[in-house]
Amino acid sequence: MLQQLFNPSVLHTLDLIGIFVFAISGALLAVRKNLDVFGLAVLAEVTGLGGGLFRDLVIGAVPPAAFTDLGYFLTPLLATALVFFLHPQVERIQAAVNVFDAAGLGLFCVVGTIKAYDYGLSLTASATLGLATAVGGGVLRDVLANEVPSLLRWDRDLYAVPAIVGATIVALCIRYDVLTPFTSSFAATVAFVLRLLAMRYHWRAPRAWNRRSTVREE
């Protein structure tokens, strides 16, 4: 289905762009954690490839694309080199990086959902793996950096919710047989715009009703 909806070369290029931007976020976190160049490379690789790697292993698409396409492996290393030498400049364009990160989120939740469905998963499972594709790398990045994943923190702008919405739209389009390049692009755009709005207006998920926690808020 993916090959029918998208030109393979265009899809591959978009994949690499998404991986590159995700990898930059991993490398920047490594700099903030004062890790060495190997640590930068590891966090960049994990952040860029982690979600897709997890999805491919779950659906049985082995060996995963990350191990069969050299470009997938080298792209995070390029991001590592960029951050290693130019991290002050990269930090200054963090807003632009966040925009591309949101675009990668929208793309990956759509592609992940469609690929999972192509491998025979149900619509619900496919949408779940679409979410995992979009956010899995960031979760692994935070765990390796000894941080509570941003996905689970109440004080972070909505990240998973836009991916869930995008993946759900794709699943509904498949269910009603209206999945086309236009509708799949629409789903990615919705996730992208929701993420941008969440960053702009600091939208956050609600915490427990009548919460009485003694845990210190960071």
Side-chain angles (χ1 to χ4, degrees), residues 10-24 72 75 100-101 103-104 107-108:
V10 172
L11 183 62
H12 185 259
T13 300
L14 292 175
D15 253 351
L16 293 180
I17 293 173
I19 289 169
F20 180 76
V21 176
F22 282 177
I24 284 179
Y72 281 34
T75 297
F100 284 107
D101 181 87
L107 171 69
F108 282 9

Side-chain angles (χ1 to χ4, degrees), residues 10-137:
V10 172
L11 183 62
H12 185 259
T13 300
L14 292 175
D15 253 351
L16 293 180
I17 293 173
I19 289 169
F20 180 76
V21 176
F22 282 177
I24 284 179
S25 73
L28 285 174
L29 178 59
V31 171
R32 297 183 192 115
K33 288 288 184 176
N34 202 29
L35 303 184
D36 62 16
V37 64
F38 182 75
L40 266 73
V42 168
L43 286 193
E45 291 282 356
V46 165
T47 310
L49 303 176
L53 182 61
F54 173 77
R55 176 203 62 218
D56 289 350
L57 290 176
V58 170
I59 65 180
V62 292
F67 292 98
T68 58
D69 188 322
L70 187 61
Y72 281 34
F73 179 77
L74 293 179
T75 297
L77 295 183
L78 178 61
T80 299
L82 179 68
V83 172
F84 182 81
F85 291 106
L86 300 173
H87 66 86
Q89 290 84 351
V90 175
E91 290 276 14
R92 283 199 289 271
I93 61 168
Q94 185 65 55
V97 172
N98 288 339
V99 171
F100 284 107
D101 181 87
L105 181 82
L107 171 69
F108 282 9
C109 72
V110 169
V111 171
T113 302
I114 297 173
K115 187 170 183 178
Y117 185 76
D118 281 347
Y119 275 77
L121 271 65
S122 68
L123 291 176
T124 300
S126 296
T128 301
L129 275 186
L131 167 64
T133 303
V135 306

Side-chain angles (χ1 to χ4, degrees), residues 146-157:
N146 197 30
E147 289 198 346
V148 176
S150 298
L151 188 71
L152 305 179
R153 296 186 58 165
W154 74 270
D155 58 344
R156 295 291 188 269
D157 302 333

